[in-house]
Amino acid sequence: MRRMSVTNLVALALGLAFLYVPIAILVVYSFNASRLVTVWGGWSTRWYAALLEDRAMIDAALASLLIATVSAALATVLGAFAALALTRFRFRGRLPFAAMIYAPLVMPEVITGLSLLLLFVAIDLDRGLFTIIIAHTTLTMCFVAIVVQSRLATFDRSLEEAAMDLGCPPGRTFFAVVLPVIMPAVIAGFLLAFSLSLDDLVIASFTTGPGATTLPIRIYSEIRLGVKPEINAVCTIFIAVVAATVVAASLIEKSRGREARALLA
Amino acid sequence: MTSGPAPSSDLPAEPLVRFESVSKRFGNVAAVDRLSLDIYSNEFFALLGPSGCGKTTLLRLLAGFERPDEGRIMLGGRDIAATPPHRRPVNMMFQNYALFPHLTVAGNVAFGLRQDGLAKAAIAARVEEMLALVKLEGLGHRRPDQLSGGQRQRVALARSLAKRPQVLLLDEPMAALDRKLREQTQFELMELQARLGLTFVIVTHDQSEAMTVAHRIAVMDRGRVVQAATPAEIYERPQSRWVAEFVGDVNLIEGIVLKTDAGEAVIGDKRGRRYRVAADVAAGAQISIALRPEKIRIHAGPAPPDAPNTMRGKVCDVGYLGSVSTYKVQLDDGVVVKATVANVARTSGEILRTNDNVWLSWPPDAAIVLTA
Ligand SMILES: Nc1ncnc2c1ncn2[C@@H]1O[C@H](COP(=O)(O)OP(=O)(O)OP(=O)(O)O)[C@@H](O)[C@H]1O
Ligand SMILES: [Mg+2]
């Protein structure tokens, strides 16, 4: 690796600062003893304690966790099968399908949210937790599909042949060999879908209904009344959860990927 | 060299595996082209041929991963066309080993046994036995990516042997090993085959490997078997120029049979040279003489007057290979002949040098006369 020049270092530092200084400020202020957001009053965890009293915030967090878990699970199953279909079967019109799976990645969320809302209204579906789950499943399954697809692309078909050669019927080889080998990608896809769902504000606000408030919606409506220190605390916890899932996802995918590559080499 | 059962002289009447005019096409490439071949029980059989000649395809047909477009494949007298791969009593060791990355070494070896629903204790015992067989005792808990290339190769071997298949198919099993390990593994394979009494079919494009391990070799070219015989037979009596050139080094001289006399023929080449060869051929036939380099003698001085088939030339290249030296000798008319001499004394390799004048000779029975 080449050594970094001073300009590169400065550019890197500025870039990172741009990304992380706001977050760092938020985290630091979540430990601020003062009620005034702009005044530093020493270290304290009082806002974290206050959170425990905030029933509405806790409900929103629980709703978000429920939505994220269920939608990520659904997205993982659907996305993994989509990836399987796209890499395994050379059916007519495979290419348009493969391209279509990328569309939700680049589609503005406002449009996805609006179109889903129109759909739910058209089929007269009561909006609430259920509709957000459906919406998040649609949004995140393509991410899962892409993660799993890249893993399947490097999957060595001779493993399946080896399994059959050793007496494993074709139907069982999927569970005996394919699934365990792509499992890291499936888990990574699940974690990615989970954190995307946890994050989402736009699509959730389009597809939510009375009584279903997710954490981002809750936070957003609170800060419209002014930034409260409790919000900083919520956001800090939130960042920690999302960061942990994303790091876990990339670690799982990377470590197992290296293992598989070492074998192929 | 060929130890163990099934030398070609007393082959049993009924082959274990029989390819009957089998063809397999990919698009308009005939990977296997109306190929017929018999493989007998207890044989160590090698498929030898250049890259792309259809060796792997032939194995895959036998394992059931490809279906023949034409012809029949018989195993133990039964047509196996309708038997799917997982029901064939044939196991394969894959070219890239195809070890399951998510299972341990023991899990890999046990995989086939589990499919048969064997009892846990029986599986464990067999896995131990197999790991001992390939000298991997104590490595059962490792994952494949924690093994060296040679160890992976052994796991693949143990896995494919665990079910005691009627036929074990080995697709270039030693291609990824270094030379020393390859030679060692060759002998271990031969020993295993003799000990277990199984039928091994090995694919290789390394002719010395085929010669070392196999009882019989099928030399393949463009989807067909051009000759199937013992290693010695193939080396000493190739049936065509192609086989002679593919297996081992050879000097080829083209000529016409001028006259024949009591098992000896006089051949004339287009430069007017005459050769005496031991062969039964018709006068006037167009033939090629194939001469193995080690059967040509080199004389530093004029050859003895009674030496047959003498030629004069000049050494133009010396290749010292340790146990032997190869000399390229340019004859007076420009033709280059290759001769090999065993370095019996430590100074043998230093006697002849480039540009030395030498005389070559070879006995009439050293030549292989080829009409194809
Ligand atoms: N699945 C396939 N689709 C299309 N063509 C194929 C396929 N498998 C093999 N072929 C072609 O069939 C021919 C024989 O291939 P095969 O793999 O049997 O050769 P091989 O003798 O094993 O060669 P190598 O020594 O390089 O492994 C080649 O021309 C190859 O390109
Ligand atoms: Mg091959």
Side-chain angles (χ1 to χ4, degrees):
Chain A
M1 223 207 284
R2 275 191 327 161
R3 288 201 44 176
M4 268 196 279
S5 70
V6 175
T7 16
N8 278 346
L9 262 178
V10 170
L12 182 67
L14 281 178
L16 286 179
F18 193 71
L19 283 174
Y20 289 105
V21 164
I23 294 176
I25 289 175
L26 182 138
V27 171
V28 169
Y29 270 96
S30 76
F31 294 101
N32 188 359
S34 161
R35 164 154 292 280
L36 296 168
V37 175
T38 47
V39 180
W40 182 251
W43 295 95
S44 152
T45 52
R46 61 184 278 209
W47 306 120
Y48 289 90
L51 267 186
L52 292 177
E53 311 287 294
D54 190 342
R55 203 56 240 175
M57 197 62 90
I58 291 173
D59 283 346
L62 290 178
S64 266
L65 282 178
L66 176 74
I67 291 167
T69 312
V70 176
S71 72
L74 289 174
T76 305
V77 174
L78 294 177
F81 276 112
L84 211 57
L86 287 174
T87 40
R88 286 310 166 81
F89 305 110
R90 308 269 132 192
F91 54 86
R92 204 177 268 279
R94 192 180 65 92
L95 282 180
F97 267 112
M100 268 156 73
I101 207 140
Y102 288 95
L105 299 186
V106 290
M107 186 82 78
E109 286 188 345
V110 179
I111 294 176
T112 313
L114 185 62
S115 55
L116 281 164
L117 173 64
L118 291 178
L119 173 74
F120 295 144
V121 171
I123 61 173
D124 200 16
L125 196 60
D126 280 338
R127 273 159 288 138
L129 284 185
F130 182 62
T131 44
I132 303 180
I133 287 173
I134 294 178
H136 281 182
T137 307
T138 350
L139 172 74
T140 55
M141 71 164 271
C142 56
F143 288 88
V144 178
I146 283 159
V147 174
V148 174
Q149 203 179 5
S150 72
R151 188 55 176 263
L152 277 173
T154 60
F155 183 87
D156 180 6
R157 295 301 300 266
S158 65
L159 290 183
E160 280 166 89
E161 288 182 343
M164 276 192 265
D165 188 61
L166 291 165
C168 189
R172 214 194 297 155
T173 51
F174 177 77
F175 294 100
V177 174
V178 183
L179 194 56
V181 173
I182 64 167
M183 203 38 141
V186 174
I187 294 173
F190 174 86
L191 292 176
L192 189 60
F194 181 84
S195 72
L196 282 170
S197 162
L198 219 49
D199 263 356
D200 169 71
L201 169 66
V202 178
I203 292 176
S205 17
F206 272 103
T207 51
T208 187
T213 308
T214 65
L215 196 55
I217 294 179
R218 179 85 214 160
I219 293 171
Y220 186 66
S221 59
E222 292 257 332
I223 56 162
R224 276 193 301 188
L225 310 173
V227 181
K228 289 197 297 179
E230 289 103 322
I231 297 294
N232 289 343
V234 164
C235 291
T236 303
I237 296 173
F238 196 101
I239 290 166
V241 171
V242 171
T245 41
V246 170
V247 168
S250 69
L251 280 185
I252 288 173
E253 176 58 9
K254 243 195 215 118
S255 69
R256 301 301 294 273
R258 198 178 311 127
E259 226 167 76
R261 269 193 301 281
L263 255 190
L264 291 176
Chain B
M1 183 99 280
T2 36
S3 60
S8 69
S9 49
D10 48 27
L11 292 173
E14 180 73 15
L16 178 62
V17 178
R18 163 163 273 178
F19 288 90
E20 276 179 18
S21 192
V22 172
S23 296
K24 175 70 197 175
R25 277 179 286 277
F26 294 107
N28 46 20
V29 181
V32 171
D33 188 11
R34 282 162 290 158
L35 175 146
S36 295
L37 182 66
D38 286 349
I39 299 171
Y40 294 89
S41 199
N42 283 1
E43 247 189 331
F44 202 140
F45 195 90
L47 298 170
L48 177 66
S51 190
C53 71
K55 306 180 295 290
T56 298
T57 306
L58 198 61
L59 280 201
R60 292 173 57 81
L61 282 164
L62 189 50
F65 299 130
E66 310 285 357
R67 292 181 150 265
D69 296 322
E70 279 164 31
R72 288 199 303 173
I73 303 173
M74 318 280 283
L75 180 68
R78 274 183 37 240
D79 188 341
I80 51 170
T83 315
H86 63 279
R87 294 223 191 82
R88 296 193 182 188
V90 167
N91 284 147
M92 177 134 153
M93 185 178 151
F94 288 74
Q95 198 161 357
N96 61 358
Y97 309 150
L99 297 179
F100 303 126
H102 61 293
L103 297 178
T104 60
V105 167
N108 267 279
V109 178
F111 190 92
L113 305 168
R114 292 227 174 88
Q115 307 307 319
D116 291 352
L118 252 63
K120 268 217 164 65
I123 292 179
R126 176 58 76 83
V127 168
E128 278 309 305
E129 182 193 338
M130 284 299 133
L131 290 181
L133 200 66
V134 297
K135 307 196 177 79
L136 284 180
E137 297 103 326
L139 293 185
H141 59 279
R142 294 247 193 118
R143 295 213 173 235
D145 63 319
Q146 300 168 323
L147 299 177
S148 72
Q151 288 169 332
R152 274 179 218 164
Q153 192 252 14
R154 280 152 192 277
V155 177
L157 181 63
R159 185 178 73 178
S160 55
L161 276 173
K163 296 182 79 168
R164 289 277 153 84
Q166 279 186 36
V167 186
L168 177 68
L169 309 174
L170 305 124
D171 194 355
E172 309 220 11
M174 290 167 263
L177 304 184
D178 66 52
R179 210 182 112 105
K180 260 253 136 42
L181 194 54
R182 185 153 65 215
E183 281 171 5
Q184 184 192 337
T185 312
Q186 286 167 1
F187 284 101
E188 283 172 8
L189 275 183
M190 292 161 67
E191 206 247 333
L192 267 180
Q193 190 269 339
R195 180 137 58 100
L196 301 176
L198 302 175
T199 307
F200 281 22
V201 180
I202 188 173
V203 158
T204 175
H205 53 233
D206 174 351
Q207 47 131 330
S208 73
E209 182 169 293
M211 296 249 192
T212 308
V213 299
H215 299 137
R216 284 200 307 143
I217 298 174
V219 182
M220 289 181 65
D221 178 31
R222 281 169 289 167
R224 288 171 170 244
V225 171
V226 286
Q227 188 171 1
T230 61
E233 181 96 7
I234 286 190
Y235 190 75
E236 303 294 353
R237 276 185 284 284
Q239 279 170 5
S240 65
R241 287 183 58 143
W242 195 88
V243 174
E245 285 192 278
F246 185 73
V247 180
D249 256 338
V250 75
N251 296 296
L252 283 168
I253 303 164
E254 282 174 51
I256 289 183
V257 182
L258 298 179
K259 65 177 192 213
T260 63
D261 167 33
E264 266 202 8
V266 176
I267 315 287
D269 73 4
K270 58 176 180 283
R271 291 189 166 79
R273 253 196 292 271
R274 298 284 158 95
Y275 306 97
R276 282 197 298 130
V277 301
D280 237 351
V281 280
Q286 282 274 0
I287 55 116
S288 311
I289 302 173
L291 267 176
R292 298 291 185 194
E294 74 278 4
K295 298 203 167 65
I296 299 178
R297 294 194 54 195
I298 298 196
H299 312 268
D306 59 336
N309 302 319
T310 57
M311 301 180 278
R312 220 174 74 97
K314 195 184 254 187
V315 177
C316 61
D317 190 29
V318 182
Y320 176 73
L321 302 175
S323 56
V324 296
S325 291
T326 62
Y327 298 92
K328 283 192 183 148
V329 176
Q330 189 162 36
L331 305 185
D332 297 340
D333 54 14
V335 176
V336 174
V337 175
K338 211 167 163 188
T340 318
V341 178
N343 292 326
V344 285
R346 279 178 54 202
T347 51
S348 299
E350 297 158 22
I351 293 170
L352 290 172
R353 295 177 188 287
T354 314
N355 287 331
D356 284 357
N357 282 316
V358 292
W359 282 258
L360 305 177
S361 72
W362 44 272
D365 63 357
I368 307 154
V369 174
L370 298 167
T371 50

